[in-house]
Amino acid sequence: MGFSQALSGLNAASSSLDVLGNNIANSQTVGYKSSGAQFADIYAGSTGLGTQVSAVLQDFSDGNIENTGRNLDLAISGDGFYRFEQEGEVVYSRNGQLSMTADGYLENAQGARIMGYGLNAANEVQAGGQPQVIQVPADDMPASATANVATSFNLDAREVAGEGLSQATVSTDVSTPAQTTATEQTIDYHFSNNFSVYDSLGNPRNVTVYYQKDNAAANTWNAQVAMDGHYNAANDFQVTFDANGQLTAPAAPPVINVAAANTTPLGAGPVAMQFNLDLAGSTQFGNTSATNSLTQDGYTSGALVGISIQDDGTVMRNYANEQSVPAGQIALANFRNPEGLEAVGDNAWAATAASGQELVGEAGTGVLGTITSGAVETSNVDLASELVDMIVTQRAYQANSQTISTQDEVLQAAINLSR
């Protein structure tokens, strides 16, 4: 019986050394989770028969986050696993080292493709649906005509009507079915606000709004709009302020209408253009006239220049026109009992009955961690601890070997006595 007890100790120590050796071998493997052997004694009645390895459990504590500067390297800060499709099967991993294939799939070194939420008809992320393989389209972004312009400015309250005026020469177009006739006109103004808008083909159009203090009404300014040097009196409007310099009119953003295609301002090709000019926040104070803010929602077309991944897992397509739109959102999965996952190699796990069903959601919600781009999660192996455990296990192996040697000597002595 002594031999079998010592032999069980040798087997258990050997298995523990295998686990420790595997941990040490993977001390530099991104996203690797260390394992530990658990032992249990063996009894027959009241007699101890030795020991055995009862289970090998993995430690799913977080590894350190290490910056790489590569935008397709991802790290999870907190709980959760990436969801991959590999050879038709769903597997889970903490290794976020991705690359993009020629056809736009995000996959790891083993060819497993990361999964998440796709887009709806409005090209918005459809969160909460069934996760699918994410693909980044390589299509160019089409142009978008400007529909809204928001600007705020200060008009100098010290200006005197009819004095200190500047002048601009603009063209006035008179269109008929037969021809378009252009004449010149001079606009007098105290302050001009200049910005660009985009037509339906993505062509930038220069818009200038000229403001002149009104002769008749106090705290009132007349505004005239010109596009690419072409002026249409139909777009004129007035801006008024109260005695404290706060904007009172126009109450709603003026609508600026631009001639349709085949007229001089737009030229051939684009459709008729119209945009709202929001002046909210503008003031009339005794200070130099100046533009404080300006935004507009149009843009020209653009080619895809790269992608970036946000903390919530949204994959953004970045275009040469400085616009970004989503291509999908990486989903994270978690389990009630992560220790029940089955290791399938390639730094991946598969769900089992012991782990329970996956709980899928957006990064940063519930118990799921956030995703950090440009970083990876290093192995959580504590190399110093593993080496100490290896020494202890080696001593246990030697002690069991010595037990066998001692049992052999006792047995040999008994045999000698029986002769």
Side-chain angles (χ1 to χ4, degrees):
M1 185 176 294
F3 284 107
S4 63
Q5 292 168 334
L7 184 60
S8 71
L10 287 175
N11 289 333
S14 178
S15 297
S16 179
L17 287 172
D18 289 341
V19 173
L20 293 170
N22 189 57
N23 288 342
I24 293 172
N26 285 283
S27 61
Q28 301 302 311
T29 301
V30 171
Y32 177 79
K33 300 303 178 184
S34 62
S35 300
Q38 294 188 335
F39 302 97
D41 53 7
I42 305 174
Y43 266 82
S46 59
T47 304
L49 301 180
T51 188
Q52 63 180 347
V53 175
S54 60
V56 176
L57 297 181
Q58 290 195 288
D59 174 13
F60 283 96
S61 61
D62 292 352
N64 295 324
I65 303 299
E66 184 177 279
N67 291 326
T68 65
R70 181 175 176 270
N71 70 327
L72 289 183
D73 284 342
L74 306 178
I76 300 174
S77 300
D79 295 335
F81 298 84
Y82 304 111
R83 198 177 193 269
F84 286 94
E85 182 183 85
Q86 185 172 28
E87 298 179 353
E89 300 292 332
V90 175
V91 296
Y92 307 90
S93 178
R94 295 277 294 195
N95 186 344
Q97 293 175 303
L98 304 178
S99 59
M100 189 163 66
T101 65
D103 47 2
Y105 293 104
L106 299 175
E107 61 180 33
N108 61 19
Q110 290 73 40
R113 293 174 173 175
I114 201 162
M115 304 178 71
Y117 302 117
L119 305 178
N120 57 23
N123 284 327
E124 299 171 338
V125 173
Q126 188 65 48
Q130 178 63 29
Q132 62 190 43
V133 173
I134 293 177
Q135 184 178 20
V136 180
D139 302 340
D140 289 352
M141 174 183 283
S144 176
T146 299
N148 297 283
V149 176
T151 183
S152 65
F153 46 79
N154 179 67
L155 295 178
D156 193 343
R158 299 169 297 181
E159 296 285 4
V160 178
E163 298 181 9
L165 296 170
S166 299
Q167 289 187 332
T169 301
V170 295
S171 175
T172 303
D173 296 326
V174 180
S175 298
T176 67
Q179 64 179 358
T180 298
T181 303
T183 61
E184 289 188 348
Q185 176 179 327
T186 298
I187 293 179
D188 297 323
Y189 64 95
H190 287 106
F191 173 70
S192 64
N193 186 9
N194 186 75
F195 53 87
S196 292
V197 296
Y198 294 89
D199 62 26
S200 60
L201 296 180
N203 298 310
R205 303 290 181 175
N206 184 61
V207 177
T208 304
V209 184
Y210 300 95
Y211 297 93
Q212 180 185 358
K213 200 162 191 180
D214 189 75
N215 288 305
N219 299 325
T220 300
W221 298 70
N222 299 314
Q224 296 171 283
V225 182
M227 173 180 281
D228 293 338
H230 296 270
Y231 164 70
N232 186 340
N235 290 318
D236 290 354
F237 61 92
Q238 284 190 322
V239 182
T240 61
F241 302 89
D242 63 20
N244 295 316
Q246 302 301 315
L247 184 71
T248 58
V255 178
I256 308 301
N257 290 287
V258 183
N262 300 319
T263 62
T264 303
L266 288 181
V271 300
M273 189 174 179
Q274 175 178 296
F275 60 88
N276 299 317
L277 182 59
D278 188 354
L279 306 180
S282 296
T283 57
Q284 179 193 249
F285 295 139
N287 203 350
T288 305
S289 296
T291 300
N292 298 321
S293 66
L294 176 64
T295 59
Q296 60 87 32
D297 58 3
Y299 48 83
T300 187
S301 61
L304 183 67
V305 295
I307 66 171
S308 59
I309 300 174
Q310 300 178 338
D311 289 350
D312 64 353
T314 301
V315 180
M316 299 298 295
R317 291 173 284 174
N318 303 318
Y319 291 88
N321 58 0
E322 299 184 355
Q323 300 296 313
S324 298
V325 295
Q329 184 179 23
I330 295 172
L332 295 184
N334 202 11
F335 298 87
R336 185 173 184 179
N337 176 30
E339 292 179 347
L341 292 171
E342 177 187 2
V344 294
D346 293 331
N347 222 8
W349 294 271
T352 66
S355 67
Q357 292 186 341
E358 64 176 4
L359 304 173
V360 183
E362 302 174 50
T365 62
V367 298
L368 297 174
T370 58
I371 294 176
T372 302
S373 178
V376 294
E377 180 188 9
T378 62
S379 170
N380 70 348
V381 172
D382 184 342
L383 198 55
S385 177
E386 297 294 326
L387 292 174
V388 170
D389 289 344
M390 179 172 285
I391 293 173
V392 172
T393 304
Q394 182 182 13
R395 292 292 180 264
Y397 191 95
Q398 292 173 340
N400 281 285
S401 297
Q402 186 62 42
T403 299
I404 292 176
S405 297
T406 302
Q407 291 284 352
D408 179 59
E409 292 175 2
V410 171
L411 181 61
Q412 187 62 45
I415 293 174
N416 293 336
L417 289 173
S418 65
R419 289 179 180 177

